[in-house]
Amino acid sequence: MNRPARCRAGRLMNTSAHSCALPRGGGEVGDFTPTIDDLLERANRQWRVADDPTHMKGVLQMLRYCHTITRSLPKALTLRLVLARDEADGKRWVIPDPQAVYPGRGMNVVPSHASIKQAPNWLKGGFKTKNVHVPDTFAYLVEAQLLRHTQKMVLDACLSATSAKWVPARYFEKGETSQETEIGDDRSFLTALNDGMSAAMTKHERRASEVCTNVENATPWVIFLHENETDDDLLYLGQGDDFRHYRVLHSLNANEFNGALSTEFAGKDARLTEHFADVKATLLDGVAKFQFEESQGDALVLEGVDNVTSFKLRYAQLRLHMYRSTSRADDERDGHR
C-alpha cells in the first residue's frame, strides 16, 4: 500500500514561543518590543553549556579507526568485530559485537553494507592471527545483531520512561500555529534583534539536546512504526506556544518494535520499574493499531527517557538505519545493471 509522505515535522517552529518580549508598564496591552536589558537577561538565563565532560558524550567520544574507509570515526558510530573460538574444531570466527561486551582485541568498521561486504578482504589479516574465518552469512549476522541491539536499547528506553501515550497524526501536520516572521522596513532594530535571538536560542537548544548525556535530564521520544514515515532524528514539535524537542525512533517496523517488548527481552530484565507495566501496555496497544492499519500517520510518544539511554538508543538506531539504507541502495544499483 502506498502511504502518503509525512510532512517534515521538524519544520514546525514558532519563534514567538521563545520571545522574551513583555508589555511595558506591566499592563495587558502596550508595546511588546523588548529592551536590550530584556535580551541580555534572557541570554544569561537560557544559554547553558554542560560543564562536566561525562555530560557531553554527544561530542566528546573516543575515536576508532575503520579499515574499509581508512578514517577515524566516533566510537559509538562504528561496529566492533571480534573473534569467537569454536571449541569443537578450534576455528576462530569473526562475529559482530554491537554492544562492545566481548573480551579481547577487536576491530572497528563503519556499519555500511559496502564496508561489511569488503570486510572479509582485510579481516583475516587484520586480526594478525591464523585460522580466522568469516561466516558465509556474515552480512545477515551483522544486520541481525544491529537489530537486536536496537531492540535492547528500545527496551531500556521503555524502562527509563515515565509514561507513554498515543499521538494522532494531526499533531504532526503544519497548521496555523506556525507564524511567519515579519519582514519589512517597518520592523524596529530591537524587534529584529529579538527575532534573531529567538532563532539563535532555538538552534542552541537543539544542539544542547544533541550533546547532553546527563542522566538527570530526560528527553521525550516520538515513535513512528510505518515505513517511510520520516528520516528526522530530532524534531521540534508543539501546539500553540508549547514547543519541545523530541528524539525520533524510525528504524523499526511494528513487528520489530513488538519484539523489543516481548517476553524474550523484557521477561529476563530485572530492572522493571513502577511505570513499565503501564508504558508497555500503552505501547503494545499502539503496535496493535499499527499492525491493523488503523493508525496511518499516527505515532507513539515515550516521556521521560533519561539522556544517557537516549544517547545509546540514538546511536544504536543510527547504525541499524545506516546498514539497512546502504543495503537497499546497493540492491537498487544491482537491479539496474
Side-chain angles (χ1 to χ4, degrees), residues 240-270:
D241 287 341
D242 181 21
F243 278 71
R244 301 169 63 196
H245 289 98
Y246 291 79
R247 285 287 175 197
V248 182
L249 180 70
H250 56 73
S251 62
L252 303 183
N253 60 35
N255 290 331
E256 292 167 345
F257 186 82
N258 190 62
L261 299 175
S262 68
T263 305
E264 177 187 359
F265 284 90
K268 298 178 182 179
D269 203 300

Side-chain angles (χ1 to χ4, degrees), residues 50-58 208 211-217 308:
D51 56 1
D52 187 337
T54 61
H55 297 164
M56 299 180 66
K57 292 181 180 178
V211 168
C212 179
T213 50
N214 186 347
V215 73
E216 299 298 326
N217 297 333
V308 172

Side-chain angles (χ1 to χ4, degrees), residues 301-313:
V301 170
L302 271 180
E303 295 282 358
V305 180
D306 73 76
N307 279 3
V308 172
T309 301
S310 290
F311 169 79
K312 294 178 180 179
L313 175 54

Side-chain angles (χ1 to χ4, degrees), residues 32-140:
F32 282 80
T33 304
T35 66
I36 292 294
D37 288 340
D38 292 333
L39 297 175
L40 291 175
E41 191 277 332
R42 179 188 174 197
N44 184 61
R45 182 179 69 253
Q46 296 187 14
W47 201 279
R48 293 287 183 269
V49 177
D51 56 1
D52 187 337
T54 61
H55 297 164
M56 299 180 66
K57 292 181 180 178
V59 291
L60 299 180
Q61 293 188 45
M62 299 290 290
L63 297 179
R64 291 293 183 267
Y65 184 78
C66 172
H67 291 260
T68 61
I69 64 172
T70 63
R71 295 289 188 275
S72 294
L73 300 169
K75 178 181 177 181
L77 188 58
T78 62
L79 174 65
R80 184 173 185 255
L81 305 175
V82 296
L83 292 179
R85 183 182 179 88
D86 189 332
E87 297 297 336
D89 55 16
K91 291 182 178 179
R92 301 175 187 272
W93 293 92
V94 179
I95 61 171
D97 178 26
Q99 299 184 60
V101 294
Y102 285 96
R105 181 174 179 267
M107 301 188 68
N108 292 74
V109 61
V110 59
S112 70
H113 189 252
S115 291
I116 296 303
K117 286 175 63 177
Q118 295 177 35
N121 299 330
W122 55 264
L123 277 173
K124 295 180 181 180
F127 279 104
K128 298 181 180 179
T129 186
K130 297 180 179 180
N131 206 21
V132 174
H133 300 268
V134 180
D136 293 335
T137 59
F138 188 60
Y140 169 80

Side-chain angles (χ1 to χ4, degrees), residues 133-154:
H133 300 268
V134 180
D136 293 335
T137 59
F138 188 60
Y140 169 80
L141 184 61
V142 166
E143 181 175 359
Q145 288 301 311
L146 289 173
L147 171 60
R148 187 175 181 85
H149 182 225
T150 303
Q151 289 176 312
K152 180 183 181 301
M153 293 315 306
V154 167

Side-chain angles (χ1 to χ4, degrees), residues 164-169 282-283 285-287 289-290 294-296 298-301:
K165 61 183 179 182
W166 181 266
V167 181
T282 301
L283 295 176
D285 180 65
V287 171
K289 292 180 181 179
F290 280 115
E294 298 176 0
S295 59
Q296 186 170 322
D298 295 345
L300 295 163
V301 170

